[in-house]
mmCIF file of all heavy atoms in Angstrom:
data_model
loop_
_atom_site.group_PDB
_atom_site.id
_atom_site.type_symbol
_atom_site.label_atom_id
_atom_site.label_comp_id
_atom_site.label_asym_id
_atom_site.label_seq_id
_atom_site.Cartn_x
_atom_site.Cartn_y
_atom_site.Cartn_z
ATOM 1 N N GLY A 447 -7.696 23.594 -7.565
ATOM 2 C CA GLY A 447 -8.227 24.909 -7.895
ATOM 3 C C GLY A 447 -7.191 26.018 -7.956
ATOM 4 O O GLY A 447 -7.390 27.038 -8.602
ATOM 5 N N LEU A 448 -6.030 25.796 -7.283
ATOM 6 C CA LEU A 448 -5.016 26.849 -7.239
ATOM 7 C C LEU A 448 -4.483 27.220 -8.612
ATOM 8 O O LEU A 448 -3.942 28.295 -8.811
ATOM 9 C CB LEU A 448 -3.843 26.405 -6.362
ATOM 10 C CG LEU A 448 -4.108 26.338 -4.870
ATOM 11 C CD1 LEU A 448 -2.843 25.960 -4.148
ATOM 12 C CD2 LEU A 448 -4.625 27.674 -4.367
ATOM 13 N N ARG A 449 -4.608 26.314 -9.559
ATOM 14 C CA ARG A 449 -4.037 26.587 -10.873
ATOM 15 C C ARG A 449 -4.997 27.312 -11.812
ATOM 16 O O ARG A 449 -4.644 27.637 -12.921
ATOM 17 C CB ARG A 449 -3.540 25.299 -11.515
ATOM 18 C CG ARG A 449 -2.302 24.790 -10.839
ATOM 19 C CD ARG A 449 -1.611 23.751 -11.659
ATOM 20 N NE ARG A 449 -1.035 24.283 -12.886
ATOM 21 C CZ ARG A 449 -1.430 23.958 -14.102
ATOM 22 N NH1 ARG A 449 -2.442 23.146 -14.281
ATOM 23 N NH2 ARG A 449 -0.824 24.456 -15.156
ATOM 24 N N GLN A 450 -6.215 27.557 -11.333
ATOM 25 C CA GLN A 450 -7.144 28.270 -12.201
ATOM 26 C C GLN A 450 -6.646 29.695 -12.452
ATOM 27 O O GLN A 450 -6.178 30.361 -11.529
ATOM 28 C CB GLN A 450 -8.537 28.314 -11.561
ATOM 29 C CG GLN A 450 -9.210 26.958 -11.554
ATOM 30 C CD GLN A 450 -10.486 26.968 -10.746
ATOM 31 O OE1 GLN A 450 -10.927 28.017 -10.294
ATOM 32 N NE2 GLN A 450 -11.046 25.797 -10.558
ATOM 33 N N PRO A 451 -6.745 30.146 -13.683
ATOM 34 C CA PRO A 451 -6.266 31.496 -14.015
ATOM 35 C C PRO A 451 -6.919 32.558 -13.133
ATOM 36 O O PRO A 451 -6.263 33.541 -12.748
ATOM 37 C CB PRO A 451 -6.693 31.682 -15.471
ATOM 38 C CG PRO A 451 -6.888 30.296 -16.016
ATOM 39 C CD PRO A 451 -7.272 29.432 -14.866
ATOM 40 N N ALA A 452 -8.188 32.333 -12.773
ATOM 41 C CA ALA A 452 -8.882 33.325 -11.953
ATOM 42 C C ALA A 452 -8.203 33.507 -10.593
ATOM 43 O O ALA A 452 -8.166 34.614 -10.052
ATOM 44 C CB ALA A 452 -10.339 32.907 -11.763
ATOM 45 N N VAL A 453 -7.649 32.397 -10.062
ATOM 46 C CA VAL A 453 -6.982 32.488 -8.762
ATOM 47 C C VAL A 453 -5.668 33.263 -8.900
ATOM 48 O O VAL A 453 -5.345 34.111 -8.068
ATOM 49 C CB VAL A 453 -6.745 31.084 -8.158
ATOM 50 C CG1 VAL A 453 -6.050 31.195 -6.819
ATOM 51 C CG2 VAL A 453 -8.056 30.340 -8.015
ATOM 52 N N ALA A 454 -4.926 32.961 -9.965
ATOM 53 C CA ALA A 454 -3.679 33.698 -10.206
ATOM 54 C C ALA A 454 -3.968 35.193 -10.366
ATOM 55 O O ALA A 454 -3.229 36.037 -9.857
ATOM 56 C CB ALA A 454 -2.985 33.144 -11.449
ATOM 57 N N LYS A 455 -5.067 35.468 -11.043
ATOM 58 C CA LYS A 455 -5.448 36.871 -11.236
ATOM 59 C C LYS A 455 -5.764 37.530 -9.897
ATOM 60 O O LYS A 455 -5.390 38.679 -9.649
ATOM 61 C CB LYS A 455 -6.666 36.954 -12.170
ATOM 62 C CG LYS A 455 -6.359 37.707 -13.466
ATOM 63 C CD LYS A 455 -7.605 37.838 -14.331
ATOM 64 C CE LYS A 455 -7.567 36.890 -15.514
ATOM 65 N NZ LYS A 455 -8.850 36.749 -16.207
ATOM 66 N N ALA A 456 -6.434 36.773 -9.027
ATOM 67 C CA ALA A 456 -6.763 37.301 -7.701
ATOM 68 C C ALA A 456 -5.494 37.669 -6.938
ATOM 69 O O ALA A 456 -5.449 38.688 -6.247
ATOM 70 C CB ALA A 456 -7.592 36.280 -6.927
ATOM 71 N N ALA A 457 -4.440 36.836 -7.088
ATOM 72 C CA ALA A 457 -3.177 37.122 -6.394
ATOM 73 C C ALA A 457 -2.561 38.427 -6.916
ATOM 74 O O ALA A 457 -2.039 39.230 -6.136
ATOM 75 C CB ALA A 457 -2.202 35.957 -6.572
ATOM 76 N N ARG B 345 -12.115 34.840 -5.505
ATOM 77 C CA ARG B 345 -10.994 33.887 -5.530
ATOM 78 C C ARG B 345 -9.906 34.231 -4.523
ATOM 79 O O ARG B 345 -8.963 33.455 -4.336
ATOM 80 C CB ARG B 345 -10.363 33.849 -6.920
ATOM 81 C CG ARG B 345 -11.326 33.445 -7.989
ATOM 82 C CD ARG B 345 -11.749 32.018 -7.791
ATOM 83 N NE ARG B 345 -12.569 31.581 -8.892
ATOM 84 C CZ ARG B 345 -12.798 30.329 -9.202
ATOM 85 N NH1 ARG B 345 -12.267 29.392 -8.465
ATOM 86 N NH2 ARG B 345 -13.562 30.029 -10.213
#
Side-chain angles (χ1 to χ4, degrees):
Chain A
L448 289 183
R449 288 195 68 245
Q450 289 172 7
V453 180
K455 243 183 255 167
Chain B
R345 301 294 186 161

